[in-house]
PDB file of all heavy atoms in Angstrom:
ATOM      1  N   ASN A1556    -173.688  14.387-190.884  1.00 76.00           N
ATOM      2  CA  ASN A1556    -174.020  15.501-190.047  1.00 76.00           C
ATOM      3  C   ASN A1556    -172.777  16.214-189.673  1.00 76.00           C
ATOM      4  O   ASN A1556    -171.926  15.751-188.859  1.00 76.00           O
ATOM      5  CB  ASN A1556    -174.748  14.964-188.771  1.00 76.00           C
ATOM      6  CG  ASN A1556    -175.277  16.111-187.929  1.00 76.00           C
ATOM      7  OD1 ASN A1556    -174.965  17.262-188.210  1.00 76.00           O
ATOM      8  ND2 ASN A1556    -176.253  15.792-187.035  1.00 76.00           N
ATOM      9  N   PHE A1557    -172.610  17.506-190.191  1.00 78.00           N
ATOM     10  CA  PHE A1557    -171.388  18.284-189.866  1.00 78.00           C
ATOM     11  C   PHE A1557    -171.733  19.483-188.998  1.00 78.00           C
ATOM     12  O   PHE A1557    -170.961  20.432-188.973  1.00 78.00           O
ATOM     13  CB  PHE A1557    -170.722  18.697-191.144  1.00 78.00           C
ATOM     14  CG  PHE A1557    -170.080  17.601-191.989  1.00 78.00           C
ATOM     15  CD1 PHE A1557    -170.726  17.013-192.995  1.00 78.00           C
ATOM     16  CD2 PHE A1557    -168.891  17.045-191.499  1.00 78.00           C
ATOM     17  CE1 PHE A1557    -170.145  15.983-193.682  1.00 78.00           C
ATOM     18  CE2 PHE A1557    -168.307  16.047-192.191  1.00 78.00           C
ATOM     19  CZ  PHE A1557    -168.919  15.548-193.295  1.00 78.00           C
ATOM     20  N   THR A1558    -172.863  19.402-188.335  1.00 78.00           N
ATOM     21  CA  THR A1558    -173.238  20.486-187.395  1.00 78.00           C
ATOM     22  C   THR A1558    -172.222  20.487-186.291  1.00 78.00           C
ATOM     23  O   THR A1558    -172.000  19.410-185.621  1.00 78.00           O
ATOM     24  CB  THR A1558    -174.663  20.216-186.800  1.00 78.00           C
ATOM     25  OG1 THR A1558    -175.577  20.105-187.922  1.00 78.00           O
ATOM     26  CG2 THR A1558    -175.074  21.413-185.951  1.00 78.00           C
ATOM     27  N   ASP A1559    -171.606  21.629-185.998  1.00 76.00           N
ATOM     28  CA  ASP A1559    -170.595  21.741-184.910  1.00 76.00           C
ATOM     29  C   ASP A1559    -169.375  20.836-185.182  1.00 76.00           C
ATOM     30  O   ASP A1559    -168.725  20.376-184.234  1.00 76.00           O
ATOM     31  CB  ASP A1559    -171.197  21.428-183.534  1.00 76.00           C
ATOM     32  CG  ASP A1559    -172.320  22.326-183.176  1.00 76.00           C
ATOM     33  OD1 ASP A1559    -172.187  23.489-183.525  1.00 76.00           O
ATOM     34  OD2 ASP A1559    -173.323  21.857-182.588  1.00 76.00           O
ATOM     35  N   SER A1560    -169.152  20.495-186.353  1.00 75.00           N
ATOM     36  CA  SER A1560    -167.947  19.659-186.763  1.00 75.00           C
ATOM     37  C   SER A1560    -166.658  20.451-186.576  1.00 75.00           C
ATOM     38  O   SER A1560    -166.481  21.563-187.095  1.00 75.00           O
ATOM     39  CB  SER A1560    -168.021  19.220-188.179  1.00 75.00           C
ATOM     40  OG  SER A1560    -166.853  18.688-188.669  1.00 75.00           O
ATOM     41  N   PRO A1561    -165.684  19.881-185.754  1.00 78.00           N
ATOM     42  CA  PRO A1561    -164.378  20.436-185.629  1.00 78.00           C
ATOM     43  C   PRO A1561    -163.598  20.736-187.034  1.00 78.00           C
ATOM     44  O   PRO A1561    -163.026  21.781-187.136  1.00 78.00           O
ATOM     45  CB  PRO A1561    -163.630  19.557-184.674  1.00 78.00           C
ATOM     46  CG  PRO A1561    -164.664  18.753-183.986  1.00 78.00           C
ATOM     47  CD  PRO A1561    -165.729  18.645-184.958  1.00 78.00           C
ATOM     48  N   ALA A1562    -163.774  19.755-187.842  1.00 77.00           N
ATOM     49  CA  ALA A1562    -163.150  19.826-189.148  1.00 77.00           C
ATOM     50  C   ALA A1562    -163.637  21.007-189.996  1.00 77.00           C
ATOM     51  O   ALA A1562    -162.876  21.773-190.549  1.00 77.00           O
ATOM     52  CB  ALA A1562    -163.267  18.545-189.906  1.00 77.00           C
ATOM     53  N   LEU A1563    -164.958  21.185-189.873  1.00 80.00           N
ATOM     54  CA  LEU A1563    -165.611  22.257-190.595  1.00 80.00           C
ATOM     55  C   LEU A1563    -165.147  23.647-190.020  1.00 80.00           C
ATOM     56  O   LEU A1563    -164.875  24.595-190.704  1.00 80.00           O
ATOM     57  CB  LEU A1563    -167.123  22.134-190.612  1.00 80.00           C
ATOM     58  CG  LEU A1563    -167.954  23.151-191.307  1.00 80.00           C
ATOM     59  CD1 LEU A1563    -167.653  23.011-192.810  1.00 80.00           C
ATOM     60  CD2 LEU A1563    -169.369  22.933-191.105  1.00 80.00           C
ATOM     61  N   TYR A1564    -165.117  23.680-188.656  1.00 83.00           N
ATOM     62  CA  TYR A1564    -164.771  24.873-187.934  1.00 83.00           C
ATOM     63  C   TYR A1564    -163.295  25.344-188.300  1.00 83.00           C
ATOM     64  O   TYR A1564    -163.069  26.496-188.621  1.00 83.00           O
ATOM     65  CB  TYR A1564    -164.880  24.623-186.434  1.00 83.00           C
ATOM     66  CG  TYR A1564    -164.429  25.804-185.612  1.00 83.00           C
ATOM     67  CD1 TYR A1564    -165.239  26.841-185.240  1.00 83.00           C
ATOM     68  CD2 TYR A1564    -163.042  25.918-185.195  1.00 83.00           C
ATOM     69  CE1 TYR A1564    -164.885  27.966-184.470  1.00 83.00           C
ATOM     70  CE2 TYR A1564    -162.662  26.990-184.373  1.00 83.00           C
ATOM     71  CZ  TYR A1564    -163.555  28.072-184.018  1.00 83.00           C
ATOM     72  OH  TYR A1564    -163.180  29.040-183.283  1.00 83.00           O
ATOM     73  N   LEU A1565    -162.391  24.405-188.338  1.00 84.00           N
ATOM     74  CA  LEU A1565    -160.973  24.611-188.672  1.00 84.00           C
ATOM     75  C   LEU A1565    -160.837  25.072-190.097  1.00 84.00           C
ATOM     76  O   LEU A1565    -160.088  26.010-190.417  1.00 84.00           O
ATOM     77  CB  LEU A1565    -160.080  23.427-188.373  1.00 84.00           C
ATOM     78  CG  LEU A1565    -159.934  23.008-186.893  1.00 84.00           C
ATOM     79  CD1 LEU A1565    -159.232  21.734-186.791  1.00 84.00           C
ATOM     80  CD2 LEU A1565    -159.187  24.100-186.176  1.00 84.00           C
ATOM     81  N   LEU A1566    -161.542  24.368-191.021  1.00 84.00           N
ATOM     82  CA  LEU A1566    -161.412  24.695-192.460  1.00 84.00           C
ATOM     83  C   LEU A1566    -161.906  26.044-192.766  1.00 84.00           C
ATOM     84  O   LEU A1566    -161.278  26.815-193.635  1.00 84.00           O
ATOM     85  CB  LEU A1566    -162.178  23.625-193.277  1.00 84.00           C
ATOM     86  CG  LEU A1566    -161.904  23.565-194.790  1.00 84.00           C
ATOM     87  CD1 LEU A1566    -160.364  23.306-194.971  1.00 84.00           C
ATOM     88  CD2 LEU A1566    -162.718  22.455-195.461  1.00 84.00           C
ATOM     89  N   ARG A1567    -162.942  26.510-192.101  1.00 85.00           N
ATOM     90  CA  ARG A1567    -163.525  27.835-192.348  1.00 85.00           C
ATOM     91  C   ARG A1567    -162.617  28.934-191.823  1.00 85.00           C
ATOM     92  O   ARG A1567    -162.669  30.090-192.268  1.00 85.00           O
ATOM     93  CB  ARG A1567    -164.878  27.955-191.717  1.00 85.00           C
ATOM     94  CG  ARG A1567    -165.942  27.258-192.497  1.00 85.00           C
ATOM     95  CD  ARG A1567    -167.323  27.329-191.733  1.00 85.00           C
ATOM     96  NE  ARG A1567    -168.412  26.936-192.656  1.00 85.00           N
ATOM     97  CZ  ARG A1567    -169.696  26.756-192.201  1.00 85.00           C
ATOM     98  NH1 ARG A1567    -169.981  27.034-190.907  1.00 85.00           N
ATOM     99  NH2 ARG A1567    -170.626  26.518-193.050  1.00 85.00           N
TER     100      ARG A1567
END
Side-chain angles (χ1 to χ4, degrees):
N1556 190 343
F1557 290 100
T1558 306
D1559 301 322
S1560 166
L1563 184 63
Y1564 178 87
L1565 291 173
L1566 194 58
R1567 282 177 168 173

